[in-house]
Amino acid sequence: MTEVYLNEIAHGRSGDKGDTSNVCVFARKPEYYSIIEREVTPERLKEYFGDMVQGDIVRYPLPELGGFNFVMSHALGGGATMSLRLDSLGKSMGSAVMRLKIRLEGEEEKLL
């Protein structure tokens, strides 16, 4: 088993609206999709962000695009105009997701 940062097998787009953060994670290669599906779950992100995300995290699969859209509610300390966080915008949440460590198992290690 090998641990790598998610950004080694994926790239993403992110944004925000009010107190909701939206992060899309796209596989860099089609064979990475199943790894992302297994490793990047709402439960895993909830644990990863801890108290930063107060609401639910919902994952929407986008297999035709090779990715997933994660919608995190109550994730930005009330939103850009209400938060005391230095940088509470959704763009920083996308960068944080890309720093998530994921596991590659068996033959997956050879895919890099």
Side-chain angles (χ1 to χ4, degrees), residues 8-54:
E8 291 190 41
I9 68 164
H11 61 93
R13 300 281 300 166
S14 58
D16 59 82
K17 192 62 151 181
D19 198 19
T20 300
S21 179
N22 178 74
V23 178
C24 293
V25 176
F26 300 101
R28 292 187 185 275
K29 295 180 180 178
E31 53 267 31
Y32 297 157
Y33 181 86
S34 61
I35 299 169
I36 297 167
E37 182 176 38
R38 180 189 72 228
E39 293 291 316
V40 188
T41 63
E43 297 79 18
R44 179 90 188 278
L45 289 180
K46 190 76 166 161
E47 178 183 326
Y48 181 67
F49 282 112
D51 291 340
M52 278 186 69
V53 177
Q54 297 290 314

Side-chain angles (χ1 to χ4, degrees), residues 56-110:
D56 292 333
I57 299 177
V58 179
R59 178 173 78 173
Y60 297 96
L62 304 164
E64 62 281 355
L65 299 176
F68 299 89
N69 183 27
F70 295 90
V71 178
M72 298 180 267
S73 60
H74 305 290
L76 301 171
T81 59
M82 298 186 64
S83 177
L84 296 176
R85 293 183 192 165
L86 183 59
D87 184 4
S88 62
L89 300 175
K91 297 289 181 205
S92 61
M93 298 290 277
S95 295
V97 169
M98 289 299 135
R99 290 190 302 274
L100 177 70
K101 285 201 173 183
I102 60 166
R103 293 172 298 133
L104 300 179
E105 300 173 346
E107 294 296 312
E108 293 171 348
E109 296 176 44
K110 296 177 184 176

